[in-house]
Amino acid sequence: MAVRMNLQRACATYRNFNRRLSSGVSHEEPDFLNMVRANFDKAAKFSGMDAGLLDVIKGTNSLLQISFPLRRDDGTIEAIKAYRAQNSHHCQPCKGGIRYSPAVDLQEVEALAALMTYKCAIVNVPFGGAKGGICIDPKKYSVGELERITRRYTMELKKYGFIGPSVDVPAPDVGTGAREMSWIKDTYTMLFGHNDLFAAGCVTGKPASQGGVDGRTEATGLGVFYGTREFLSNAAFLGKHGIAPGVEGKRVVVQGFGNVGFYSAKFFADAGARVVGVIEHNGAVYRAEGLDVAALKLHHAATGSLCGFPGADRELGPGAAADMLFEPCDILIPAALERAIHGGNAARVRAKLVVEGANGPTTPLAEEILERQGTVVLPDVLMNAGGVTVSYFEWLKNLQHVNFGRMTKRWEEKGKHALITTLRRERRRA
């Protein structure tokens, strides 16, 4: 078993080495997992805790790597690789998203699970960290194939004890959403939850009709906005870095136009900021006066690309899209994948404030470079914690079987009625 795990780690390291070379990230920088651990060690020095206990916290409790067959629509059979990591059992259940991406591997989910542990601790949500993924490009599979993959993955997780409302509760991540979470919930409750009153709490991020809560979809992007808005209200700190307080009028560039990126852009635009640039893997668009975020989203959904949007002054094709990261702006929000800003490009960033919407988008070396040039970095473990915070309330709703507000509705009505009655009485006396 130990030999197999070592071989798996070696293979993962080799794949990541090749991926770093192809993405332009310096191979002298640590991989994603060691990057997370380096940041942990940097912070742990100030904790005063026992070194052995810190090693326990830094480690990963449980790892799962599985492979299962998929019969595709054309009749061919394909082997699907999937993973799940549980970083910490200090609080249960474990909590973390499931991503569908061809870049998913064991070290990536292990790193993301560790970030989830720290994130839950920071926002005081009683979960241990977890993360899962399936190594596929969801755009290359039909809806029926994706459903079969998701349902089989759910059964495999249950088989090995990696899912359950009191064990491990997944959520959406890159490449997944409410649809996939509803498939997971349906599979779990149908096969394993017939005697479990709390079975609907096996997963969060579900549609509201399936036990989800309103606001979960936009929660992460809204958290990015709220965290930035709060930071921009600290006039004393901002003055030291030459940043004007307030959101209104700020120039914003967003990398990634999925769930987190879109809602971050939307809330900044609604608050009066100018979203001047948006970046995707296959193109980027720019408008100095600010882009129409809602119209851009409709265009992206219809065409699959940002390019060709009539409301843009300038656009960059797939090969040059990442150069939009280096446009002058007040706020840069990397909300795509990890390691977007690294030692090879950090010096070109001209933003005053980098707000980490994705997990691990800035490497340790890049952070040092940004700090030297006066750029403030707001970390992912706080800025994108809105999703898991709202997921906590969804999980509670599924366990309690009581919709939010039902217990207090009558009391609130009585109090407001009494207030109105008093105001009317005093008005008649006047």
Side-chain angles (χ1 to χ4, degrees):
M1 184 66 177
V3 172
R4 186 176 71 176
M5 290 301 295
N6 287 335
L7 180 59
Q8 290 169 351
R9 289 177 184 273
C11 291
T13 300
Y14 178 75
R15 288 195 300 271
N16 287 318
F17 176 77
N18 285 335
R19 191 168 62 189
R20 288 198 305 274
L21 290 180
S22 63
S23 66
V25 180
S26 169
H27 63 273
E28 295 178 358
E29 293 194 68
D31 60 27
F32 188 27
L33 177 58
N34 286 315
M35 181 183 101
V36 171
R37 288 175 173 170
N39 283 330
F40 176 89
D41 290 338
K42 184 179 178 181
K45 291 187 297 184
F46 301 97
S47 69
M49 297 175 66
D50 180 83
L53 180 57
L54 291 172
D55 286 339
V56 172
I57 296 173
K58 188 166 60 173
T60 301
N61 283 124
S62 303
L63 286 168
L64 176 66
Q65 176 174 320
I66 53 177
S67 178
F68 54 84
L70 167 71
R71 185 177 294 278
R72 303 205 61 172
D73 293 342
D74 61 4
T76 60
I77 296 176
E78 179 179 332
I80 303 296
K81 294 181 180 179
Y83 312 89
R84 186 74 178 173
Q86 294 176 347
N87 174 261
S88 176
H89 296 155
H90 77 286
C91 285
Q92 287 190 307
C94 295
K95 190 79 183 73
I98 295 172
R99 60 174 51 184
Y100 290 179
S101 167
V104 167
D105 58 27
L106 200 62
Q107 71 88 21
E108 182 177 69
V109 297
E110 192 174 354
L112 291 167
L115 287 175
M116 278 301 299
T117 294
Y118 313 146
K119 189 182 305 182
C120 291
I122 288 172
V123 296
N124 197 25
V125 172
F127 294 133
K131 189 68 74 169
I134 302 179
C135 188
I136 59 170
D137 181 351
K139 297 184 180 67
K140 297 181 179 180
Y141 295 81
S142 69
V143 172
E145 290 170 339
L146 290 172
E147 182 175 359
R148 294 196 292 275
I149 291 170
T150 304
R151 292 184 182 274
R152 177 60 183 269
Y153 180 59
T154 305
M155 290 187 282
E156 294 291 334
L157 291 179
K158 177 61 178 176
K159 182 194 301 183
Y160 295 104
F162 278 74
I163 190 172
S166 61
V167 179
D168 191 344
V169 181
D173 201 274
V174 176
T176 60
R179 180 185 65 181
E180 288 75 17
M181 301 307 107
S182 67
W183 290 335
I184 291 174
K185 182 249 184 180
D186 180 66
T187 304
Y188 184 89
T189 54
M190 179 176 58
L191 298 178
F192 314 112
H194 48 281
N195 291 324
D196 185 356
L197 185 64
F198 310 117
C202 69
V203 65
T204 61
K206 306 180 292 292
S209 62
Q210 299 295 313
V213 295
D214 291 328
R216 173 60 183 87
T217 302
E218 62 267 32
T220 307
L222 184 58
V224 170
F225 168 72
Y226 279 159
T228 308
R229 187 183 67 178
E230 183 65 21
F231 173 79
L232 290 173
S233 68
N234 189 336
F237 183 87
L238 296 174
K240 298 177 183 178
H241 294 270
I243 303 174
V247 172
E248 189 171 359
K250 292 286 193 297
R251 298 166 299 164
V252 180
V253 172
V254 179
Q255 182 201 31
F257 208 48
N259 180 53
V260 180
F262 165 67
Y263 282 108
S264 297
K266 175 184 181 300
F267 290 121
F268 273 99
D270 290 346
R274 287 182 292 145
V275 180
V276 297
V278 175
I279 309 163
E280 263 290 329
H281 66 96
N282 58 354
V285 290
Y286 182 88
R287 185 170 184 264
E289 293 77 16
L291 295 159
D292 184 333
V293 175
L296 181 60
K297 186 63 176 178
L298 292 174
H299 173 81
H300 184 249
T303 66
S305 173
L306 300 176
C307 295
F309 178 60
D313 295 338
R314 178 161 52 94
E315 66 179 44
L316 300 175
D323 290 343
M324 191 70 71
L325 284 168
F326 317 125
E327 285 290 333
C329 62
D330 300 298
I331 303 171
L332 172 61
I333 305 174
L337 295 174
E338 62 270 12
R339 301 163 62 82
I341 304 174
H342 49 79
N345 65 12
R348 299 174 61 194
V349 172
R350 291 187 281 174
K352 298 178 181 178
L353 183 62
V354 173
V355 181
E356 296 187 329
N359 289 305
T362 309
T363 68
L365 179 56
E367 189 170 348
E368 292 177 8
I369 295 171
L370 292 172
E371 185 177 351
R372 286 198 299 267
Q373 65 189 36
T375 299
V376 178
V377 179
L378 302 186
D380 52 352
V381 288
L382 177 60
M383 301 310 294
N384 65 21
V388 71
T389 302
V390 176
S391 280
Y392 173 57
F393 292 112
E394 179 179 339
W395 179 71
L396 287 179
K397 173 188 172 184
N398 297 152
L399 299 188
Q400 296 171 347
H401 295 274
V402 177
N403 289 333
F404 294 116
R406 176 167 291 186
M407 299 292 289
T408 59
K409 180 180 178 181
R410 182 68 64 184
W411 179 84
E412 289 179 358
E413 286 180 350
K414 184 178 179 180
K416 291 174 181 176
H417 179 73
L419 175 62
I420 292 172
T421 301
T422 302
L423 291 174
R424 286 175 176 171
R425 184 172 60 246
E426 293 301 320
R427 183 179 179 184
R428 285 196 298 267
R429 289 178 178 176

